[in-house]
Amino acid sequence: MSSAPISTDQFTVHAFGGPTALFEYGGLRFMTDPTFDEPGDYPRPDGRFLTKTTPSACLLYTS
């Protein structure tokens, strides 16, 4: 049985606060944020609300 090759690529993470982060790997970028919506109350299916208190920390644009 052969083993999988080991990658030596760097995995870069930029944390912007809260749940917002940018992961860079192999020339690809992945941005995480549950919502890019404005702060406010957002209803859940169970009748309760989630409250976003601050806007997203950063918006990135690439060309």
Short mmCIF file of all heavy atoms in Angstrom, two decimals:
data_model
loop_
_atom_site.label_atom_id
_atom_site.label_comp_id
_atom_site.label_asym_id
_atom_site.label_seq_id
_atom_site.Cartn_x
_atom_site.Cartn_y
_atom_site.Cartn_z
N MET A 1 0.85 -1.16 0.00
CA MET A 1 0.00 0.00 0.00
C MET A 1 0.90 1.24 0.00
O MET A 1 1.79 1.36 0.82
CB MET A 1 -0.91 -0.02 1.23
CG MET A 1 -1.81 1.17 1.25
SD MET A 1 -2.78 1.49 2.75
CE MET A 1 -3.47 -0.04 3.21
N SER A 2 0.64 2.18 -0.90
CA SER A 2 1.44 3.40 -0.94
C SER A 2 0.79 4.47 -0.07
O SER A 2 -0.42 4.49 0.11
CB SER A 2 1.60 3.89 -2.38
OG SER A 2 0.34 4.25 -2.89
N SER A 3 1.61 5.35 0.42
CA SER A 3 1.07 6.44 1.24
C SER A 3 0.86 7.67 0.38
O SER A 3 1.46 7.83 -0.67
CB SER A 3 2.03 6.74 2.39
OG SER A 3 3.28 7.15 1.88
N ALA A 4 -0.02 8.55 0.84
CA ALA A 4 -0.32 9.78 0.12
C ALA A 4 0.89 10.72 0.19
O ALA A 4 1.61 10.74 1.19
CB ALA A 4 -1.53 10.46 0.73
N PRO A 5 1.12 11.50 -0.87
CA PRO A 5 2.24 12.44 -0.83
C PRO A 5 2.01 13.52 0.22
O PRO A 5 0.87 13.91 0.49
CB PRO A 5 2.26 13.04 -2.24
CG PRO A 5 0.91 12.79 -2.79
CD PRO A 5 0.38 11.56 -2.11
N ILE A 6 3.08 14.01 0.78
CA ILE A 6 3.01 15.06 1.80
C ILE A 6 3.18 16.40 1.11
O ILE A 6 4.13 16.61 0.37
CB ILE A 6 4.09 14.87 2.88
CG1 ILE A 6 3.85 13.56 3.61
CG2 ILE A 6 4.11 16.04 3.84
CD1 ILE A 6 4.94 13.20 4.58
N SER A 7 2.25 17.31 1.36
CA SER A 7 2.30 18.64 0.76
C SER A 7 3.15 19.57 1.62
O SER A 7 3.09 19.53 2.84
CB SER A 7 0.89 19.22 0.64
OG SER A 7 0.95 20.55 0.17
N THR A 8 3.93 20.40 0.95
CA THR A 8 4.74 21.40 1.67
C THR A 8 4.23 22.81 1.41
O THR A 8 4.87 23.78 1.78
CB THR A 8 6.22 21.30 1.27
OG1 THR A 8 6.32 21.50 -0.14
CG2 THR A 8 6.80 19.95 1.66
N ASP A 9 3.04 22.92 0.74
CA ASP A 9 2.46 24.24 0.49
C ASP A 9 2.09 24.91 1.80
O ASP A 9 1.68 24.26 2.76
CB ASP A 9 1.19 24.12 -0.36
CG ASP A 9 1.48 23.68 -1.78
OD1 ASP A 9 2.63 23.78 -2.22
OD2 ASP A 9 0.53 23.22 -2.44
N GLN A 10 2.23 26.24 1.82
CA GLN A 10 1.83 26.99 3.02
C GLN A 10 0.32 27.17 3.03
O GLN A 10 -0.32 27.28 2.00
CB GLN A 10 2.49 28.36 3.03
CG GLN A 10 3.89 28.35 3.55
CD GLN A 10 4.30 29.74 3.97
OE1 GLN A 10 4.19 30.67 3.20
NE2 GLN A 10 4.75 29.86 5.19
N PHE A 11 -0.22 27.18 4.22
CA PHE A 11 -1.65 27.41 4.45
C PHE A 11 -1.74 28.68 5.29
O PHE A 11 -1.43 28.67 6.48
CB PHE A 11 -2.26 26.22 5.18
CG PHE A 11 -3.73 26.32 5.37
CD1 PHE A 11 -4.59 25.99 4.34
CD2 PHE A 11 -4.26 26.71 6.58
CE1 PHE A 11 -5.96 26.06 4.51
CE2 PHE A 11 -5.63 26.78 6.76
CZ PHE A 11 -6.48 26.45 5.71
N THR A 12 -2.13 29.79 4.67
CA THR A 12 -2.16 31.08 5.34
C THR A 12 -3.57 31.41 5.79
O THR A 12 -4.53 31.22 5.03
CB THR A 12 -1.66 32.19 4.39
OG1 THR A 12 -0.37 31.83 3.90
CG2 THR A 12 -1.58 33.52 5.09
N VAL A 13 -3.70 31.90 7.02
CA VAL A 13 -4.99 32.31 7.57
C VAL A 13 -4.89 33.75 8.04
O VAL A 13 -3.98 34.10 8.80
CB VAL A 13 -5.41 31.41 8.75
CG1 VAL A 13 -6.73 31.89 9.34
CG2 VAL A 13 -5.48 29.96 8.33
N HIS A 14 -5.81 34.60 7.59
CA HIS A 14 -5.91 35.98 8.06
C HIS A 14 -7.20 36.09 8.84
O HIS A 14 -8.28 35.89 8.28
CB HIS A 14 -5.94 36.97 6.89
CG HIS A 14 -4.77 36.88 5.98
ND1 HIS A 14 -3.57 37.52 6.23
CD2 HIS A 14 -4.59 36.20 4.82
CE1 HIS A 14 -2.72 37.24 5.26
NE2 HIS A 14 -3.31 36.44 4.39
N ALA A 15 -7.13 36.40 10.12
CA ALA A 15 -8.33 36.54 10.96
C ALA A 15 -8.68 38.02 11.05
O ALA A 15 -7.83 38.85 11.35
CB ALA A 15 -8.07 35.98 12.34
N PHE A 16 -9.94 38.35 10.76
CA PHE A 16 -10.39 39.74 10.76
C PHE A 16 -11.28 40.06 11.95
O PHE A 16 -11.77 41.16 12.07
CB PHE A 16 -11.15 40.06 9.46
CG PHE A 16 -10.28 40.00 8.25
CD1 PHE A 16 -10.37 38.92 7.39
CD2 PHE A 16 -9.37 40.99 7.98
CE1 PHE A 16 -9.57 38.84 6.27
CE2 PHE A 16 -8.56 40.92 6.86
CZ PHE A 16 -8.66 39.85 6.00
N GLY A 17 -11.52 39.11 12.81
CA GLY A 17 -12.37 39.32 13.97
C GLY A 17 -13.70 38.61 13.79
O GLY A 17 -14.18 38.44 12.67
N GLY A 18 -14.27 38.17 14.89
CA GLY A 18 -15.51 37.41 14.80
C GLY A 18 -15.30 36.16 13.97
O GLY A 18 -14.24 35.55 14.01
N PRO A 19 -16.27 35.79 13.15
CA PRO A 19 -16.14 34.58 12.35
C PRO A 19 -15.49 34.82 10.99
O PRO A 19 -15.41 33.92 10.17
CB PRO A 19 -17.59 34.15 12.17
CG PRO A 19 -18.32 35.45 12.12
CD PRO A 19 -17.61 36.35 13.11
N THR A 20 -15.04 36.05 10.72
CA THR A 20 -14.51 36.39 9.40
C THR A 20 -13.04 36.04 9.30
O THR A 20 -12.23 36.50 10.10
CB THR A 20 -14.71 37.88 9.09
OG1 THR A 20 -16.08 38.22 9.30
CG2 THR A 20 -14.32 38.21 7.67
N ALA A 21 -12.70 35.21 8.32
CA ALA A 21 -11.32 34.82 8.09
C ALA A 21 -11.09 34.57 6.61
O ALA A 21 -12.01 34.26 5.86
CB ALA A 21 -10.97 33.57 8.89
N LEU A 22 -9.85 34.73 6.19
CA LEU A 22 -9.44 34.45 4.82
C LEU A 22 -8.39 33.36 4.87
O LEU A 22 -7.37 33.49 5.54
CB LEU A 22 -8.86 35.71 4.17
CG LEU A 22 -8.25 35.52 2.79
CD1 LEU A 22 -9.32 35.20 1.77
CD2 LEU A 22 -7.49 36.78 2.38
N PHE A 23 -8.64 32.26 4.17
CA PHE A 23 -7.69 31.15 4.07
C PHE A 23 -7.11 31.17 2.67
O PHE A 23 -7.84 31.29 1.69
CB PHE A 23 -8.41 29.80 4.28
CG PHE A 23 -9.09 29.68 5.60
CD1 PHE A 23 -10.40 30.08 5.77
CD2 PHE A 23 -8.40 29.17 6.69
CE1 PHE A 23 -11.04 29.95 6.99
CE2 PHE A 23 -9.03 29.03 7.92
CZ PHE A 23 -10.34 29.44 8.06
N GLU A 24 -5.79 31.05 2.57
CA GLU A 24 -5.13 30.99 1.27
C GLU A 24 -4.34 29.69 1.18
O GLU A 24 -3.55 29.38 2.07
CB GLU A 24 -4.21 32.18 1.08
CG GLU A 24 -4.96 33.50 1.05
CD GLU A 24 -4.04 34.69 0.87
OE1 GLU A 24 -3.30 35.00 1.83
OE2 GLU A 24 -4.04 35.27 -0.22
N TYR A 25 -4.57 28.95 0.09
CA TYR A 25 -3.88 27.68 -0.08
C TYR A 25 -3.80 27.34 -1.57
O TYR A 25 -4.81 27.37 -2.27
CB TYR A 25 -4.61 26.56 0.67
CG TYR A 25 -3.95 25.22 0.52
CD1 TYR A 25 -2.78 24.92 1.22
CD2 TYR A 25 -4.47 24.26 -0.32
CE1 TYR A 25 -2.16 23.70 1.09
CE2 TYR A 25 -3.86 23.03 -0.46
CZ TYR A 25 -2.70 22.76 0.25
OH TYR A 25 -2.08 21.54 0.10
N GLY A 26 -2.62 27.05 -2.03
CA GLY A 26 -2.43 26.62 -3.41
C GLY A 26 -2.91 27.63 -4.44
O GLY A 26 -3.42 27.25 -5.47
N GLY A 27 -2.79 28.91 -4.13
CA GLY A 27 -3.23 29.94 -5.06
C GLY A 27 -4.72 30.25 -5.00
O GLY A 27 -5.21 31.07 -5.76
N LEU A 28 -5.45 29.58 -4.11
CA LEU A 28 -6.88 29.82 -3.95
C LEU A 28 -7.15 30.59 -2.67
O LEU A 28 -6.40 30.47 -1.70
CB LEU A 28 -7.65 28.50 -3.91
CG LEU A 28 -7.54 27.62 -5.14
CD1 LEU A 28 -8.20 26.28 -4.88
CD2 LEU A 28 -8.16 28.30 -6.34
N ARG A 29 -8.22 31.38 -2.66
CA ARG A 29 -8.62 32.13 -1.47
C ARG A 29 -10.03 31.72 -1.08
O ARG A 29 -10.92 31.62 -1.92
CB ARG A 29 -8.61 33.63 -1.74
CG ARG A 29 -7.24 34.17 -1.91
CD ARG A 29 -7.30 35.65 -2.16
NE ARG A 29 -5.95 36.19 -2.19
CZ ARG A 29 -5.68 37.45 -2.38
NH1 ARG A 29 -6.66 38.32 -2.57
NH2 ARG A 29 -4.43 37.85 -2.38
N PHE A 30 -10.24 31.49 0.22
CA PHE A 30 -11.54 31.13 0.76
C PHE A 30 -11.88 32.12 1.87
O PHE A 30 -11.15 32.23 2.85
CB PHE A 30 -11.52 29.71 1.34
CG PHE A 30 -11.10 28.67 0.34
CD1 PHE A 30 -9.77 28.32 0.21
CD2 PHE A 30 -12.04 28.06 -0.47
CE1 PHE A 30 -9.37 27.36 -0.72
CE2 PHE A 30 -11.66 27.10 -1.39
CZ PHE A 30 -10.32 26.76 -1.52
N MET A 31 -12.99 32.84 1.71
CA MET A 31 -13.42 33.82 2.71
C MET A 31 -14.58 33.23 3.50
O MET A 31 -15.51 32.67 2.91
CB MET A 31 -13.88 35.09 2.00
CG MET A 31 -14.23 36.20 2.94
SD MET A 31 -12.72 36.95 3.54
CE MET A 31 -13.29 38.53 4.01
N THR A 32 -14.49 33.32 4.82
CA THR A 32 -15.58 32.81 5.66
C THR A 32 -16.25 33.95 6.40
O THR A 32 -15.60 34.87 6.88
CB THR A 32 -15.07 31.79 6.70
OG1 THR A 32 -14.18 32.46 7.60
CG2 THR A 32 -14.36 30.64 6.04
N ASP A 33 -17.53 33.92 6.44
CA ASP A 33 -18.35 34.81 7.26
C ASP A 33 -19.77 34.29 7.12
O ASP A 33 -20.25 34.15 6.00
CB ASP A 33 -18.27 36.26 6.79
CG ASP A 33 -18.88 37.22 7.80
OD1 ASP A 33 -19.86 36.84 8.48
OD2 ASP A 33 -18.38 38.35 7.93
N PRO A 34 -20.42 33.92 8.22
CA PRO A 34 -21.77 33.39 8.09
C PRO A 34 -22.71 34.32 7.32
O PRO A 34 -23.56 33.86 6.59
CB PRO A 34 -22.24 33.23 9.53
CG PRO A 34 -20.99 33.13 10.32
CD PRO A 34 -19.98 33.96 9.60
N THR A 35 -22.54 35.61 7.49
CA THR A 35 -23.34 36.57 6.71
C THR A 35 -22.51 37.81 6.44
O THR A 35 -21.73 38.26 7.27
CB THR A 35 -24.61 37.01 7.47
OG1 THR A 35 -24.23 37.82 8.58
CG2 THR A 35 -25.45 35.85 7.92
N PHE A 36 -22.67 38.33 5.27
CA PHE A 36 -22.09 39.64 4.96
C PHE A 36 -23.17 40.71 5.10
O PHE A 36 -23.01 41.83 4.68
CB PHE A 36 -21.51 39.66 3.54
CG PHE A 36 -20.20 38.94 3.44
CD1 PHE A 36 -20.12 37.70 2.84
CD2 PHE A 36 -19.04 39.49 3.96
CE1 PHE A 36 -18.92 37.03 2.74
CE2 PHE A 36 -17.83 38.83 3.87
CZ PHE A 36 -17.77 37.60 3.25
N ASP A 37 -24.30 40.33 5.70
CA ASP A 37 -25.41 41.25 5.90
C ASP A 37 -25.05 42.31 6.93
O ASP A 37 -24.12 42.17 7.71
CB ASP A 37 -26.65 40.51 6.38
CG ASP A 37 -27.16 39.53 5.34
OD1 ASP A 37 -27.01 39.81 4.14
OD2 ASP A 37 -27.70 38.48 5.74
N GLU A 38 -25.84 43.36 6.92
CA GLU A 38 -25.68 44.43 7.90
C GLU A 38 -26.08 43.93 9.29
O GLU A 38 -26.80 42.94 9.41
CB GLU A 38 -26.56 45.62 7.50
CG GLU A 38 -26.12 46.28 6.21
CD GLU A 38 -24.72 46.85 6.30
OE1 GLU A 38 -24.38 47.49 7.31
OE2 GLU A 38 -23.95 46.65 5.35
N PRO A 39 -25.62 44.62 10.34
CA PRO A 39 -26.04 44.25 11.69
C PRO A 39 -27.57 44.32 11.82
O PRO A 39 -28.22 45.11 11.15
CB PRO A 39 -25.38 45.31 12.57
CG PRO A 39 -24.22 45.78 11.77
CD PRO A 39 -24.66 45.71 10.33
N GLY A 40 -28.10 43.47 12.67
CA GLY A 40 -29.54 43.46 12.90
C GLY A 40 -30.00 42.10 13.41
O GLY A 40 -29.20 41.20 13.66
N ASP A 41 -31.31 41.96 13.57
CA ASP A 41 -31.91 40.71 14.02
C ASP A 41 -32.32 39.89 12.81
O ASP A 41 -32.97 40.40 11.89
CB ASP A 41 -33.13 40.98 14.90
CG ASP A 41 -32.76 41.60 16.23
OD1 ASP A 41 -31.64 41.31 16.72
OD2 ASP A 41 -33.56 42.38 16.77
N TYR A 42 -31.98 38.60 12.83
CA TYR A 42 -32.30 37.70 11.73
C TYR A 42 -33.09 36.51 12.29
O TYR A 42 -32.61 35.82 13.19
CB TYR A 42 -31.02 37.23 11.02
CG TYR A 42 -30.35 38.38 10.31
CD1 TYR A 42 -29.40 39.16 10.96
CD2 TYR A 42 -30.70 38.71 9.02
CE1 TYR A 42 -28.80 40.23 10.33
CE2 TYR A 42 -30.12 39.78 8.37
CZ TYR A 42 -29.16 40.54 9.03
OH TYR A 42 -28.58 41.61 8.39
N PRO A 43 -34.31 36.30 11.78
CA PRO A 43 -35.16 35.23 12.33
C PRO A 43 -34.63 33.84 11.99
O PRO A 43 -34.04 33.62 10.95
CB PRO A 43 -36.51 35.46 11.66
CG PRO A 43 -36.21 36.24 10.43
CD PRO A 43 -34.96 37.03 10.71
N ARG A 44 -34.84 32.92 12.93
CA ARG A 44 -34.51 31.51 12.75
C ARG A 44 -35.81 30.73 12.55
O ARG A 44 -36.87 31.21 12.93
CB ARG A 44 -33.78 30.98 13.98
CG ARG A 44 -32.41 31.57 14.19
CD ARG A 44 -31.78 31.13 15.48
NE ARG A 44 -32.24 29.84 15.96
CZ ARG A 44 -31.46 28.92 16.52
NH1 ARG A 44 -30.19 29.16 16.68
NH2 ARG A 44 -31.94 27.77 16.94
N PRO A 45 -35.72 29.54 11.99
CA PRO A 45 -36.93 28.73 11.79
C PRO A 45 -37.68 28.37 13.08
O PRO A 45 -38.88 28.14 13.06
CB PRO A 45 -36.42 27.45 11.12
CG PRO A 45 -35.13 27.82 10.51
CD PRO A 45 -34.56 28.90 11.38
N ASP A 46 -36.96 28.39 14.22
CA ASP A 46 -37.60 28.02 15.48
C ASP A 46 -38.29 29.20 16.18
O ASP A 46 -38.74 29.08 17.31
CB ASP A 46 -36.59 27.37 16.43
CG ASP A 46 -35.46 28.31 16.83
OD1 ASP A 46 -35.48 29.51 16.45
OD2 ASP A 46 -34.52 27.85 17.51
N GLY A 47 -38.38 30.36 15.49
CA GLY A 47 -39.07 31.51 16.05
C GLY A 47 -38.16 32.45 16.83
O GLY A 47 -38.57 33.54 17.21
N ARG A 48 -36.92 32.03 17.11
CA ARG A 48 -35.97 32.91 17.81
C ARG A 48 -35.22 33.75 16.78
O ARG A 48 -35.43 33.63 15.58
CB ARG A 48 -35.00 32.07 18.64
CG ARG A 48 -35.73 31.27 19.72
CD ARG A 48 -34.80 30.54 20.66
NE ARG A 48 -33.86 29.69 19.95
CZ ARG A 48 -32.81 29.12 20.52
NH1 ARG A 48 -32.57 29.28 21.79
NH2 ARG A 48 -32.00 28.36 19.82
N PHE A 49 -34.34 34.62 17.26
CA PHE A 49 -33.57 35.50 16.38
C PHE A 49 -32.08 35.36 16.66
O PHE A 49 -31.67 35.11 17.79
CB PHE A 49 -33.96 36.97 16.60
CG PHE A 49 -35.32 37.30 16.08
CD1 PHE A 49 -36.45 37.10 16.84
CD2 PHE A 49 -35.46 37.83 14.81
CE1 PHE A 49 -37.70 37.41 16.37
CE2 PHE A 49 -36.71 38.14 14.31
CZ PHE A 49 -37.84 37.93 15.10
N LEU A 50 -31.29 35.53 15.61
CA LEU A 50 -29.85 35.72 15.76
C LEU A 50 -29.60 37.20 15.57
O LEU A 50 -30.17 37.83 14.68
CB LEU A 50 -29.08 34.92 14.70
CG LEU A 50 -29.17 33.41 14.82
CD1 LEU A 50 -28.45 32.76 13.63
CD2 LEU A 50 -28.55 32.93 16.12
N THR A 51 -28.75 37.78 16.41
CA THR A 51 -28.47 39.21 16.32
C THR A 51 -27.02 39.42 15.91
O THR A 51 -26.10 39.00 16.60
CB THR A 51 -28.73 39.90 17.67
OG1 THR A 51 -30.09 39.69 18.02
CG2 THR A 51 -28.45 41.39 17.59
N LYS A 52 -26.84 40.07 14.77
CA LYS A 52 -25.49 40.45 14.32
C LYS A 52 -25.28 41.87 14.81
O LYS A 52 -26.04 42.78 14.48
CB LYS A 52 -25.39 40.37 12.80
CG LYS A 52 -23.99 40.67 12.30
CD LYS A 52 -23.84 40.35 10.83
CE LYS A 52 -22.40 40.56 10.42
NZ LYS A 52 -22.17 40.18 9.03
N THR A 53 -24.24 42.07 15.62
CA THR A 53 -24.05 43.36 16.29
C THR A 53 -23.08 44.29 15.57
O THR A 53 -23.10 45.49 15.81
CB THR A 53 -23.56 43.15 17.73
OG1 THR A 53 -22.34 42.41 17.69
CG2 THR A 53 -24.59 42.38 18.55
N THR A 54 -22.22 43.76 14.71
CA THR A 54 -21.26 44.61 14.00
C THR A 54 -21.20 44.18 12.53
O THR A 54 -21.45 43.02 12.21
CB THR A 54 -19.85 44.53 14.60
OG1 THR A 54 -19.41 43.18 14.55
CG2 THR A 54 -19.83 45.01 16.05
N PRO A 55 -20.82 45.09 11.65
CA PRO A 55 -20.69 44.72 10.25
C PRO A 55 -19.48 43.82 10.03
O PRO A 55 -18.64 43.68 10.91
CB PRO A 55 -20.53 46.06 9.53
CG PRO A 55 -20.01 46.99 10.56
CD PRO A 55 -20.55 46.50 11.88
N SER A 56 -19.40 43.22 8.85
CA SER A 56 -18.22 42.40 8.52
C SER A 56 -16.97 43.25 8.65
O SER A 56 -16.96 44.45 8.36
CB SER A 56 -18.35 41.88 7.10
OG SER A 56 -19.47 41.04 6.99
N ALA A 57 -15.90 42.61 9.10
CA ALA A 57 -14.66 43.33 9.39
C ALA A 57 -13.96 43.83 8.13
O ALA A 57 -13.27 44.83 8.16
CB ALA A 57 -13.73 42.46 10.19
N CYS A 58 -14.12 43.11 7.03
CA CYS A 58 -13.34 43.46 5.85
C CYS A 58 -14.00 42.85 4.62
O CYS A 58 -14.50 41.74 4.67
CB CYS A 58 -11.93 42.92 6.01
SG CYS A 58 -10.88 43.21 4.59
N LEU A 59 -14.01 43.58 3.55
CA LEU A 59 -14.42 43.03 2.27
C LEU A 59 -13.21 43.07 1.36
O LEU A 59 -12.54 44.09 1.26
CB LEU A 59 -15.57 43.82 1.65
CG LEU A 59 -16.90 43.70 2.34
CD1 LEU A 59 -17.93 44.59 1.64
CD2 LEU A 59 -17.40 42.28 2.35
N LEU A 60 -12.91 41.97 0.70
CA LEU A 60 -11.75 41.90 -0.18
C LEU A 60 -12.21 41.78 -1.62
O LEU A 60 -13.14 41.04 -1.92
CB LEU A 60 -10.88 40.69 0.18
CG LEU A 60 -10.32 40.67 1.59
CD1 LEU A 60 -9.57 39.38 1.83
CD2 LEU A 60 -9.40 41.86 1.79
N TYR A 61 -11.56 42.49 -2.49
CA TYR A 61 -11.85 42.40 -3.90
C TYR A 61 -10.58 41.99 -4.62
O TYR A 61 -9.51 42.50 -4.33
CB TYR A 61 -12.33 43.77 -4.44
CG TYR A 61 -13.60 44.24 -3.81
CD1 TYR A 61 -13.59 45.09 -2.71
CD2 TYR A 61 -14.83 43.80 -4.29
CE1 TYR A 61 -14.76 45.52 -2.13
CE2 TYR A 61 -16.01 44.21 -3.70
CZ TYR A 61 -15.96 45.07 -2.63
OH TYR A 61 -17.13 45.49 -2.05
N THR A 62 -10.70 41.06 -5.53
CA THR A 62 -9.54 40.65 -6.33
C THR A 62 -9.91 40.80 -7.79
O THR A 62 -11.06 40.74 -8.18
CB THR A 62 -9.16 39.19 -6.03
OG1 THR A 62 -10.27 38.36 -6.33
CG2 THR A 62 -8.74 39.01 -4.58
N SER A 63 -8.89 41.00 -8.58
CA SER A 63 -9.15 41.14 -10.02
C SER A 63 -8.49 40.01 -10.77
O SER A 63 -7.71 39.26 -10.27
CB SER A 63 -8.61 42.46 -10.52
OG SER A 63 -7.24 42.59 -10.23
#
